[in-house]
Amino acid sequence: MKGPRYSAAELLARLVHFDTTSHRSNLPLVRFVEDYLAQHGIASELVASADGAKASLYATIGPTAVPGVALSGHTDVVPVDGQSWSSDPFVLTERDGRLYGRGSADMKGFLACVLAAVPDFRRRQLSVPIHLAFSYDEEVGCIGVRPLIAELGRHLTRPRVVIVGEPTSMSVVDAHKGPVRWHVDIKGRAAHSSMAPLGVNAISVAGKLLGELARIEQELMTAPRDSRFDPPYATLQVTRIDGGTATNIVPVSCRLDFDIRALPSVDAAAIDRRVRAFADKECLPAMRQVASESGIDITIANQVPPFAAGNGSEAVALALHLTGHNETHAVSYATEAGLFQEAGSPAVVVGPGDIAQAHAADEWIAKDQLDRCMAFLTRLGDWAERGKPIR
Ligand SMILES: [Zn+2]
């Protein structure tokens, strides 16, 4: 079957044109990819979101009964709201060897390269199959890939290795931090501020919690460091706070959010237990003495596992083989790699473009990054055809 052939840049222009900001549907993009793959004789499996507005796509090129190499990427992009762009963010625009557009680096550039490589993968007699795994809602906490991962080993073939094509400038990333985000809702009791003892001041309670969070932050900073990361320790930041009603009212409520960027060695569950224990022992008894309805509600809003490929990872060995590099890197941003790894598929992160351009106004990718990624995928095709052991 002879389907259409496009360059990576041409496909990137098509992909960028779909406004797949995370809060919008990605289905038009998914339908485009499904149709393109169908023209090459490749069937797609869609894993829809609960409301049906979005879907992940999974497809296999080559033998279907054997686990292969998954090329994984997210289809969604971050918003352009409030950013000042020199050209339309959803129209790929070339200036000085750079391709500008929302998602060009993060990470439609990789998706475009993968799609551009499909005809080459298709013409080969692959002994190791190549899977495409395109997700949604990555930018809002790696949400969309989870239902897809849940289908691996059931409805979908579990990949032998996963290459996550987040922008690493085509260097090999084998570890990243994992963000954990908490919401804390403090409920006190309102009172006239002249009659303070009748109320429970939710902001004062938040202050006590802030003190404990600052102590945890210090402890994380002084814990054994991992110099591969920048910064070389887990960070804790209170990222939002909102409370109070008026200057003469004891505040009835306060809400705060905090975020930890955990090293693979950090036990986020232990920190969660510690914060809850502090609230239960150091805050709640005094609050309840005044107002029985007082409460502190602590929830983990989102958690993406940190990623550490570990020694002897087949995914890392393959990525080093394909890039010709002999060293790996650790990064502080999160990807879907930790989730794949946790689910039993060794993962590695390598993709075109620079993370420095991701999420920024005038996001761009250098054309030569697309060329380097295409060369990487050609070598992957060579390897998958021969099916030799990596080491
Ligand atoms: Zn990304």
Side-chain angles (χ1 to χ4, degrees), residues 55-340:
S56 292
L57 179 146
Y58 197 81
T60 298
I61 309 168
T64 48
V66 197
V69 176
L71 300 172
S72 160
H74 59 84
T75 59
D76 61 318
V77 295
V78 295
V80 296
D81 306 79
Q83 296 185 342
S84 161
W85 281 70
S86 311
S87 52
D88 185 335
F90 300 105
V91 176
L92 194 71
T93 307
E94 184 176 346
R95 295 193 292 275
D96 307 323
R98 296 172 173 180
L99 300 168
Y100 289 84
R102 172 52 87 225
S104 53
D106 185 12
M107 57 180 292
K108 289 177 172 175
F110 178 72
L111 302 184
C113 290
V114 170
L115 294 177
V118 162
D120 177 55
F121 293 152
R122 191 75 176 95
R123 72 166 178 82
R124 294 172 184 269
Q125 296 294 321
L126 298 179
S127 53
V128 178
I130 292 170
H131 313 288
L132 274 50
F134 293 0
S135 69
Y136 59 91
D137 280 357
E138 189 272 350
E139 297 289 7
V140 289
C142 295
I143 308 289
V145 77
R146 298 177 202 236
L148 181 139
I149 287 176
E151 289 294 329
L152 298 180
R154 297 163 61 185
H155 195 54
L156 307 172
T157 310
R158 183 191 304 285
R160 175 170 148 190
V161 300
V162 178
I163 296 171
V164 178
E166 290 279 354
T168 66
S169 304
M170 295 308 293
S171 64
V172 178
V173 166
D174 65 350
H176 65 62
K177 292 183 179 178
V180 192
R181 300 194 175 108
W182 280 265
H183 291 328
V184 181
D185 267 306
I186 302 160
K187 185 166 185 259
R189 179 182 281 181
H192 194 284
S193 57
S194 66
M195 299 299 285
L198 298 179
V200 174
N201 188 321
I203 292 179
S204 298
V205 175
K208 287 177 88 171
L209 282 169
L210 292 179
E212 180 68 357
L213 293 175
R215 285 186 286 275
I216 296 171
E217 183 189 3
Q218 279 302 316
E219 288 172 29
L220 290 171
M221 281 176 77
T222 51
R225 296 189 164 199
D226 187 338
S227 61
R228 299 188 70 217
F229 290 94
D230 179 22
Y233 48 85
T235 51
L236 184 156
Q237 291 298 299
V238 176
T239 47
R240 276 194 65 176
I241 190 157
D242 184 21
T245 314
T247 47
N248 57 356
I249 300 176
V250 175
V252 63
S253 68
C254 185
R255 174 197 165 121
L256 64 91
D257 297 346
F258 67 98
D259 149 284
I260 288 181
R261 298 278 166 159
L263 294 174
S265 59
V266 167
D267 183 355
I271 294 173
D272 184 63
R273 286 194 297 275
R274 174 169 166 182
V275 175
R276 286 170 196 278
F278 181 85
D280 285 346
K281 293 198 182 90
E282 306 298 328
C283 304
L284 272 172
M287 296 166 74
R288 293 249 161 97
Q289 264 184 10
V290 178
S292 58
E293 77 275 19
S294 299
I296 301 174
D297 188 32
I298 300 169
T299 48
I300 293 182
N302 187 259
Q303 184 167 16
V304 178
F307 167 56
N311 291 330
S313 158
E314 189 185 26
V316 173
L318 176 62
L320 290 172
H321 170 73
L322 297 177
T323 56
H325 295 166
N326 52 21
E327 58 168 18
T328 60
H329 302 269
V331 295
S332 287
Y333 58 88
T335 78
E336 295 168 342
L339 287 163
F340 279 109

